[in-house]
Amino acid sequence: MEQEFRPGLEGVVAAETALSSVDGAAGELVIGGYAVEELAGNATFEETLHLLWRGRIPDRDELSRFTGALAAQRELSAATMELLRSAARTETDPMDALRMGVASVSLVLRADGADRERWASTAETEAARLVAAVPTLVAAYHRLRAGLEPIAPRPDLNHAANYLFMLTGEEGHPARVRGLETYLNTVVDHGLNASTFAARVIVSTGTDLVSAITGAVGALKGPLHGGAPGPALDTVFAIGEGERAEPYLRALLERGERLMGFGHRIYKVRDPRAAVLSREAERFYRQAGDMALYELARHVEAVAVRLLGEYKPGRCLQTNVEFYTALLLHGIGLPVELFTPTFAVSRVGGWTAHCLEQLRNNRIFRPQSVYVGPTGLTWGE
Ligand code: ACO
């Protein structure tokens, strides 16, 4: 059989999913049946999670039980906390600390891989433990790294509000909580992106969700995937003033560098998530009474897209989700080093949903490779 190699699996369909649909030509994203523009600003993160895991928005009683069950899983074990303290002492990167912290969730959660039936019925419990633990891991590590003691989770606060509380020790203003919740809903799931695919591949072997999510965190960390918003904001700050945008970005492109926050494997038009996040950021900066950074970012975006058209004609390089992630999270008050970990706080919802979906109709992933090495070598020559 003729085998065609597609670098990066571009255009290859590797799964069926009812979780999200990405139309790269039209610039449309549907999550659990809702357009991202419809879902992001209306749902709580718990409602979005319920939609992904169970296929529908919960009624009031279901939501209250679901929210309570999730909140009950937030505490970390003493051993995990000790691991985070060790990582902070060596100034480990926050995403590396998160990856190790996620792996250590096994200390209190044993999935019995041998007993498939029982294991499948406990997979959602394992998923809940992971989704609940990630914000606690991120917030605790952030504080330890800054020489502060971690703050215990508050079970009376919802997922987004509790995350902000664990970072600062203060209840976030409702506008900040809503801004964060809109962000979490916007990036929760996005088809078969690299980290989600990694999670599905890992769980398809029949292993546990902790292993799958540990691998996904490692994949998200890469600068081509979840590591872009920090550098995107750094670029806007480095530009500083509107008239510097063109020479600055042109110099980057002349050196063959990539503009962070632009380009996407699937989207050939502006990422619809950029529109949702840019609207939310605009609302935020307007409320705060200082539009300067937002207006500079809009200008940088316009110049970047124009220059990308000039330097990479025909590539259709447009703004991706990371550009306005940076602006919104900065507006909410999160420092740059929390941008990618906060992406994980959201995306762990999508990763776990994909794992549960994969397990419902599992077949182990096993693609092929084309051998391009030598043959017929003789030993000793
Ligand atoms: N700036 C400059 N040039 C770019 C950019 C960019 N942001 N993105 C792609 N290109 C160029 C490449 O250099 C290449 O040009 P060439 O053919 O002349 O060598 C061409 O466009 C195609 O690039 P590929 O890497 O083949 O495109 P791919 O689909 O593999 O990459 C990716 C997509 C990784 C997102 C890329 O656009 C990129 O690196 N963007 C910057 C990083 C970024 O913003 N990442 C976040 C993505 S969103 C997310 O993961 C949540």
Side-chain angles (χ1 to χ4, degrees):
M1 190 176 72
E2 181 67 19
Q3 292 170 322
E4 189 197 356
F5 167 47
R6 302 262 191 106
L9 297 184
E10 185 159 3
V12 173
V13 176
E16 278 185 339
T17 182
L19 299 171
S20 61
S21 156
V22 184
D23 184 334
E28 286 170 4
L29 168 62
V30 172
I31 299 174
Y34 296 86
V36 65
E37 297 82 359
E38 178 73 18
L39 182 77
N42 287 317
T44 63
F45 185 67
E46 283 89 340
E47 284 172 318
T48 299
L49 199 59
H50 193 284
L51 174 67
L52 289 176
W53 285 359
R54 299 184 182 173
R56 61 190 167 74
I57 298 290
D59 65 28
R60 191 192 289 256
D61 287 349
E62 283 172 323
L63 179 62
S64 146
R65 280 198 304 276
F66 190 75
T67 302
L70 208 58
Q73 303 270 2
R74 287 179 183 151
E75 301 248 357
L76 304 177
S77 69
T80 295
M81 212 48 111
E82 195 40 52
L83 172 76
L84 295 183
R85 286 184 197 281
S86 304
R89 278 195 290 275
T90 53
E91 297 194 4
T92 300
D93 171 87
M95 285 300 284
D96 288 329
L98 177 60
R99 192 196 63 242
M100 292 187 281
V102 166
S104 79
V105 166
S106 300
L107 289 166
V108 289
L109 211 166
R110 284 181 302 277
D112 184 353
D115 181 351
R116 286 202 59 80
E117 221 170 287
R118 192 175 75 77
W119 187 69
S121 71
T122 60
E124 193 182 296
T125 320
E126 199 181 2
R129 173 69 188 149
L130 284 156
V131 169
V134 167
T136 318
L137 286 164
V138 172
Y141 188 66
H142 181 67
R143 291 185 64 85
L144 286 169
R145 218 164 158 246
L148 301 166
E149 272 306 296
I151 293 170
R154 281 245 318 255
D156 58 311
L157 296 176
N158 81 6
H159 201 73
N162 174 61
Y163 177 48
L164 287 178
F165 175 75
M166 289 188 299
L167 286 171
T168 61
E170 286 166 19
E171 272 186 50
H173 186 279
R176 277 180 83 205
V177 176
R178 185 60 256 174
L180 177 63
E181 207 141 39
T182 297
Y183 167 72
L184 297 177
N185 290 336
T186 301
V187 303
V188 68
D189 196 47
H190 200 242
L192 217 52
N193 59 86
S195 55
T196 300
F197 184 47
R200 281 189 89 127
V201 170
I202 294 171
V203 86
S204 82
T205 67
T207 188
D208 58 309
L209 263 70
V210 176
S211 300
I213 303 310
T214 303
V217 172
L220 185 70
K221 181 188 152 194
L224 299 186
H225 190 8
L233 189 66
D234 290 343
T235 305
V236 176
F237 278 132
I239 288 171
E241 286 171 25
E243 66 268 24
R244 280 174 36 84
E246 177 148 356
Y248 188 94
L249 296 174
R250 205 177 270 287
L252 289 180
L253 290 167
E254 288 287 343
R255 289 201 298 273
E257 288 183 31
R258 291 187 177 213
L259 306 187
M260 289 303 182
F262 298 89
H264 199 275
R265 172 63 62 80
I266 307 290
Y267 291 121
K268 300 305 166 202
V269 296
R270 196 170 187 251
D271 186 330
R273 298 168 299 174
V276 173
L277 297 183
S278 118
R279 259 199 309 279
E280 189 67 17
E282 182 178 6
R283 192 176 67 81
F284 225 87
Y285 284 84
R286 198 176 294 288
Q287 258 176 18
D290 185 357
M291 292 294 281
L293 185 62
Y294 179 79
E295 275 158 12
L296 175 63
R298 289 304 298 240
H299 177 68
V300 170
E301 178 190 15
V303 174
V305 170
R306 174 164 57 77
L307 293 182
L308 285 168
E310 185 183 322
Y311 280 80
K312 302 283 173 187
R315 292 289 189 186
C316 304
L317 298 172
Q318 297 286 331
T319 319
N320 67 41
V321 65
E322 304 285 39
F323 191 75
Y324 284 101
T325 288
L327 206 65
L328 177 58
L329 294 187
H330 176 76
I332 289 171
L334 299 191
V336 168
E337 64 269 21
L338 279 176
F339 289 179
T340 307
T342 303
F343 192 168
V345 166
S346 164
R347 189 52 69 83
V348 65
W351 292 331
T352 48
H354 275 270
C355 288
L356 297 174
E357 187 178 61
Q358 179 69 31
L359 288 172
R360 282 196 284 273
N361 193 12
N362 188 42
R363 187 150 194 241
I364 187 170
F365 281 92
R366 194 4 179 139
Q368 296 187 34
S369 49
V370 179
Y371 181 66
V372 295
T375 55
L377 298 181
T378 311
W379 189 254
E381 281 187 3

Coordinates of all heavy atoms in Angstrom, one line a residue, residues 223-226 228 253 257-265 308 312 315 317 320-322 343, ligand 1:
P223 N 6.9 26.3 23.4 CA 6.6 27.7 22.9 C 5.8 27.7 21.6 O 5.1 28.7 21.3 CB 8.0 28.2 22.6 CG 8.9 27.1 22.5 CD 8.3 26.0 23.3
L224 N 5.7 26.6 20.9 CA 4.8 26.6 19.7 C 3.4 26.3 20.1 O 2.5 26.4 19.2 CB 5.3 25.5 18.7 CG 6.7 25.7 18.2 CD1 7.0 24.7 17.1 CD2 6.9 27.1 17.6
H225 N 3.1 25.9 21.3 CA 1.7 25.6 21.7 C 1.3 26.6 22.8 O 0.7 27.6 22.5 CB 1.8 24.1 22.2 CG 0.4 23.5 22.4 ND1 -0.8 24.2 22.1 CD2 0.1 22.3 23.0 CE1 -1.8 23.4 22.4 NE2 -1.3 22.3 23.0
G226 N 1.5 26.3 24.1 CA 0.9 27.1 25.1 C 1.9 28.1 25.7 O 1.6 28.9 26.6
A228 N 3.3 30.7 24.2 CA 3.4 31.9 23.4 C 2.9 33.2 24.1 O 3.4 34.3 23.8 CB 2.7 31.8 22.1
L253 N 11.2 39.8 11.9 CA 10.9 39.0 10.7 C 12.2 39.0 9.8 O 12.5 37.9 9.2 CB 9.7 39.6 9.9 CG 8.4 39.4 10.6 CD1 7.3 40.2 9.9 CD2 8.0 37.9 10.6
E257 N 12.7 35.4 12.7 CA 12.0 35.0 14.0 C 10.5 35.0 13.8 O 10.0 35.6 12.9 CB 12.4 36.0 15.1 CG 13.8 35.8 15.6 CD 14.1 36.7 16.8 OE1 13.2 37.0 17.6 OE2 15.3 37.1 16.9
R258 N 9.8 34.2 14.6 CA 8.4 34.2 14.5 C 7.7 35.2 15.4 O 8.3 35.5 16.5 CB 7.9 32.8 15.0 CG 8.3 31.7 14.0 CD 7.7 30.4 14.2 NE 8.2 29.5 13.1 CZ 7.5 28.5 12.6 NH1 6.3 28.2 13.2 NH2 7.9 27.8 11.6
L259 N 6.6 35.8 15.0 CA 5.9 36.7 15.8 C 5.0 35.9 16.7 O 4.1 35.2 16.2 CB 5.1 37.7 15.0 CG 5.9 38.5 13.9 CD1 5.1 39.5 13.3 CD2 7.2 39.1 14.5
M260 N 5.2 36.0 18.0 CA 4.4 35.2 19.0 C 3.0 35.7 19.0 O 2.8 36.9 19.1 CB 5.1 35.1 20.3 CG 6.3 34.3 20.3 SD 6.0 32.6 19.8 CE 7.5 31.9 19.9
G261 N 2.0 34.8 19.0 CA 0.6 35.2 19.0 C 0.0 35.3 17.6 O -1.1 35.7 17.5
F262 N 0.8 34.8 16.6 CA 0.3 34.9 15.3 C 0.5 33.5 14.6 O 1.5 32.9 14.9 CB 0.9 36.0 14.5 CG 0.6 37.3 15.1 CD1 1.4 37.9 16.1 CD2 -0.5 38.0 14.7 CE1 1.1 39.1 16.7 CE2 -0.9 39.2 15.3 CZ 0.0 39.8 16.3
G263 N -0.4 33.2 13.7 CA -0.2 31.9 12.9 C -0.9 30.8 13.6 O -1.0 30.8 14.9
H264 N -1.4 29.9 12.9 CA -2.1 28.7 13.5 C -2.2 27.6 12.4 O -2.4 27.9 11.2 CB -3.5 29.1 13.9 CG -4.1 28.1 14.9 ND1 -4.8 27.0 14.5 CD2 -4.1 28.1 16.3 CE1 -5.1 26.3 15.6 NE2 -4.8 27.0 16.7
R265 N -2.0 26.4 12.9 CA -2.1 25.3 11.9 C -3.5 25.2 11.3 O -3.6 24.9 10.1 CB -1.8 24.0 12.7 CG -2.0 22.7 11.9 CD -1.1 22.6 10.7 NE 0.3 22.5 11.0 CZ 0.9 21.4 11.5 NH1 0.3 20.3 11.6 NH2 2.2 21.5 11.8
L308 N 3.2 40.2 8.3 CA 3.2 38.7 8.0 C 2.7 38.5 6.6 O 3.2 37.6 5.9 CB 2.4 38.0 9.1 CG 3.0 37.9 10.4 CD1 2.0 37.4 11.5 CD2 4.2 36.9 10.4
K312 N 5.4 36.6 4.5 CA 5.0 35.2 4.3 C 3.7 35.2 3.5 O 2.6 34.7 3.9 CB 4.7 34.5 5.6 CG 5.9 34.5 6.6 CD 6.9 33.5 6.2 CE 8.2 33.6 7.0 NZ 9.2 32.7 6.5
R315 N 0.5 32.5 3.2 CA 0.5 31.7 4.4 C -0.8 32.0 5.3 O -1.1 31.2 6.2 CB 1.7 31.9 5.3 CG 3.0 31.3 4.6 CD 3.0 29.8 4.6 NE 4.2 29.3 4.2 CZ 4.4 28.0 4.0 NH1 3.4 27.2 4.2 NH2 5.6 27.5 3.7
L317 N -1.3 34.2 7.8 CA -0.9 34.2 9.2 C -1.7 35.3 9.9 O -1.5 36.5 9.6 CB 0.6 34.4 9.4 CG 1.4 33.3 8.7 CD1 2.9 33.6 8.8 CD2 1.2 31.9 9.4
N320 N -3.6 34.7 16.7 CA -4.2 33.5 17.3 C -4.6 33.8 18.8 O -4.5 35.0 19.2 CB -3.2 32.3 17.3 CG -1.9 32.5 18.0 OD1 -1.9 33.1 19.1 ND2 -0.8 32.1 17.4
V321 N -5.1 32.8 19.5 CA -5.6 33.0 20.8 C -4.7 33.6 21.8 O -5.0 34.3 22.8 CB -6.2 31.7 21.4 CG1 -5.1 30.7 21.6 CG2 -7.0 31.8 22.6
E322 N -3.3 33.4 21.6 CA -2.4 33.7 22.6 C -2.2 35.2 22.8 O -1.8 35.7 23.8 CB -1.0 33.1 22.3 CG -1.1 31.6 22.2 CD -1.2 30.8 23.5 OE1 -2.0 31.3 24.3 OE2 -0.6 29.8 23.6
F343 N -3.4 28.7 31.4 CA -4.0 27.9 30.3 C -4.2 26.5 30.7 O -5.3 25.9 30.4 CB -2.9 28.0 29.1 CG -3.4 27.6 27.8 CD1 -2.6 27.8 26.6 CD2 -4.6 26.9 27.6 CE1 -3.0 27.4 25.4 CE2 -5.0 26.5 26.3 CZ -4.2 26.7 25.2
Ligands
ACO1 N1 5.7 34.5 12.6 C1 6.4 34.4 11.5 N2 6.4 33.4 10.6 C2 5.5 32.4 10.9 C3 4.7 32.4 12.0 C4 4.8 33.5 12.9 N3 4.1 33.6 14.0 N4 3.9 31.3 12.0 C5 4.2 30.6 10.9 N5 5.2 31.3 10.2 C6 5.8 30.9 8.9 C7 6.8 29.9 9.1 O1 8.1 30.4 9.3 C8 6.7 29.2 7.7 O2 7.3 30.0 6.8 P1 8.2 29.3 5.6 O3 7.4 28.3 4.9 O4 8.7 30.4 4.8 O5 9.4 28.6 6.3 C9 5.2 29.2 7.4 O6 4.7 30.4 8.1 C10 4.5 28.0 7.9 O7 4.9 27.7 9.3 P2 4.7 26.3 9.9 O8 5.6 26.2 11.1 O9 4.8 25.2 8.9 O10 3.2 26.4 10.3 P3 2.5 25.4 11.4 O11 1.1 25.2 11.0 O12 3.3 24.2 11.6 O13 2.7 26.3 12.7 C11 2.3 27.6 14.6 C12 1.7 26.8 13.5 C13 3.3 26.6 15.4 C14 1.3 28.1 15.6 C15 3.1 28.8 14.1 O14 2.2 29.6 13.4 C16 3.9 29.5 15.1 O15 5.0 29.2 15.5 N6 3.3 30.7 15.7 C17 4.0 31.4 16.7 C18 3.9 30.8 18.1 C19 2.4 30.9 18.6 O16 1.8 31.9 18.6 N7 1.9 29.7 19.1 C20 0.6 29.6 19.7 C21 -0.3 28.9 18.8 S1 -2.0 28.8 19.4 C22 -2.0 27.5 20.5 O17 -1.2 26.6 20.4 C23 -2.9 27.6 21.6

